[in-house]
Amino acid sequence: MSMDMHIWYRETGQTASGLRLAEAWEDAEHPDGVYLDEVPGDAALVWKSTETDAALLHVTIPEERAPGVPHLWFTAADEPHAAPRACTLSAYTDGPFVSGSIVSPLAFATLGIRGDDELGTVRWLRDGLVVDLYVAPDLRRQGVATCLLLAAGAWQQANRWPGFIHADRPRTRLGRAFLTRLRHPGRVARDAGPRFDEEE
């Protein structure tokens, strides 16, 4: 009999700009989405955010979460005036940033990288509901969508927005298969929600 796995958090500090630094841990012992001061024990690391001078935030994703994933860094485009408010994270591989860096649109604009060079995107509402997830066809099933969702989770928590990254109804076969692999029933409802365009 399988146990439901949950993701919970530990706050570790904040950046100079006020972003929350945190660790996300996975186990079957703790409630989903809570912040605790406990030592993780046998829990598995999901992601860890740290401060960096080269970007807004750095997110470390353990290799076993997305084996063989290509080098990825991200841009975060917040949409504070959208109704409802939202955010989009886009993944790139070329450029000067170390893997896991999240940079601002302004920093991205100085690089001369074309927007259509992105490897994938995830867009979600500030309550954590994912509404779009896309990965370029030649990079599907390589862990890009997983890394996008985990980095989005770190950015959600860094900004102290309410809730956590979650999804409702996947509308494609690939979307359903991808969400089934996530193993977090509390975060995924398979019969109601967002659009997933051939994400992995």
Side-chain angles (χ1 to χ4, degrees), residues 65-147:
R65 295 280 166 187
V69 71
H71 169 93
L72 296 177
W73 56 272
F74 311 94
T75 61
D78 294 336
E79 303 173 35
H81 303 298
R85 292 183 293 177
C87 184
T88 297
L89 203 68
S90 300
Y92 295 86
T93 194
D94 294 326
F97 299 106
V98 299
S99 188
S101 298
I102 299 179
V103 305
S104 69
L106 180 60
F108 176 80
T110 66
L111 299 175
I113 296 175
R114 299 179 310 172
D116 58 4
D117 287 338
E118 67 187 18
L119 307 185
T121 63
V122 59
R123 184 175 185 267
W124 73 99
L125 308 182
R126 284 200 184 178
D127 66 358
L129 177 64
V130 175
V131 292
D132 284 291
L133 178 62
Y134 175 80
V135 170
D138 59 341
L139 288 168
R140 291 172 188 161
R141 293 184 173 83
Q142 295 185 41
V144 175
T146 296
C147 288

Side-chain angles (χ1 to χ4, degrees), residues 4-8 27-34 36 38-40 43:
D4 290 347
M5 303 298 284
H6 301 133
I7 296 174
W8 54 278
D27 64 22
E29 305 300 320
H30 297 87
D32 208 27
V34 299
L36 301 170
E38 295 184 22
V39 175

Side-chain angles (χ1 to χ4, degrees), residues 30-72:
H30 297 87
D32 208 27
V34 299
Y35 272 84
L36 301 170
D37 292 328
E38 295 184 22
V39 175
D42 292 332
L45 182 66
V46 179
W47 54 257
K48 176 180 181 177
S49 60
T50 53
E51 187 168 20
T52 172
D53 291 335
L56 298 173
L57 195 72
H58 182 264
V59 182
T60 299
I61 298 170
E63 198 273 339
E64 60 268 20
R65 295 280 166 187
V69 71
H71 169 93
L72 296 177

